[in-house]
Amino acid sequence: MSKRRWQMRRNCALTPKQLLQFYIALVCLSLIVATGFFLAGVWMIPIFTALELSAVTIGFFIYCRHALDCETIDIEGKRLLIKKFIGYKETLYELNTEWARIELPAENAKTFYISQSKLRVELGQFIRHDQQLVLIDQIRPFLR
């Protein structure tokens, strides 16, 4: 029984660990500068530093929430398992390779679909259109 796996991940420049290290360095530097201005008697700078760090923190939380997003397709025998991990929410779809069908993406579509009966799963949002076509060509022989 052959088992195949394809994984599509979001393209992120920084891992969550790298982002945390950068964030800590940014906070430390900002607080050092704000403290220096506060000790010099300029009390406005720490207020703006707090606003800046609040905005950056919110932005980094949004980035981290989606940094680990991915879609995985597993085929083992007649079982087609699709896992979508988007924003800390994991959705699992189980289909039968005998009945599942791939719907080719439209010309400028960003995604394609694998469907079975009334279930229609959208895939490929993290890869380019040409990569979608290659992936479809790799999956198609496993579907009957």
Side-chain angles (χ1 to χ4, degrees):
M1 185 177 292
S2 66
K3 182 174 181 175
R4 293 292 312 238
R5 170 175 273 199
W6 295 271
Q7 191 165 37
M8 298 158 281
R9 293 193 161 278
R10 182 178 293 280
N11 185 12
C12 292
L14 297 174
T15 65
K17 181 180 178 183
Q18 292 169 329
L19 185 66
L20 179 63
Q21 291 170 343
F22 174 73
Y23 177 74
I24 289 171
L26 178 69
V27 167
C28 290
L29 181 64
S30 293
L31 291 177
I32 288 170
V33 170
T35 303
F37 276 102
F38 182 73
L39 293 176
V42 183
W43 57 271
M44 289 292 286
I45 300 299
I47 293 171
F48 284 106
T49 300
L51 289 172
E52 169 210 359
L53 291 177
S54 297
V56 168
T57 301
I58 291 168
F60 283 178
F61 274 129
I62 292 169
Y63 177 88
C64 282
R65 180 176 174 90
H66 292 287
L68 300 176
D69 289 358
C70 69
E71 299 171 333
T72 306
I73 301 171
D74 287 317
I75 296 179
E76 186 173 357
K78 292 184 179 183
R79 190 172 148 191
L80 171 64
L81 200 61
I82 299 172
K83 294 179 194 170
K84 294 182 74 162
F85 186 78
I86 310 290
Y88 297 118
K89 180 184 175 196
E90 185 175 40
T91 310
L92 185 64
Y93 302 95
E94 187 171 344
L95 294 87
N96 187 321
T97 58
E98 299 279 331
W99 301 324
R101 299 289 170 250
I102 294 180
E103 299 176 25
L104 291 174
E107 184 63 34
N108 292 321
K110 296 189 182 282
T111 59
F112 66 96
Y113 294 90
I114 295 181
S115 60
Q116 174 183 316
S117 185
K118 293 182 181 180
L119 177 63
R120 194 168 181 231
V121 183
E122 182 180 36
L123 293 166
Q125 64 181 325
F126 304 127
I127 59 177
R128 294 186 321 268
H129 183 74
D130 58 317
Q131 293 173 319
Q132 288 178 8
L133 298 176
V134 171
L135 178 65
I136 289 169
D137 288 341
Q138 292 175 354
I139 295 172
R140 184 167 280 146
F142 293 93
L143 304 180
R144 291 164 187 85

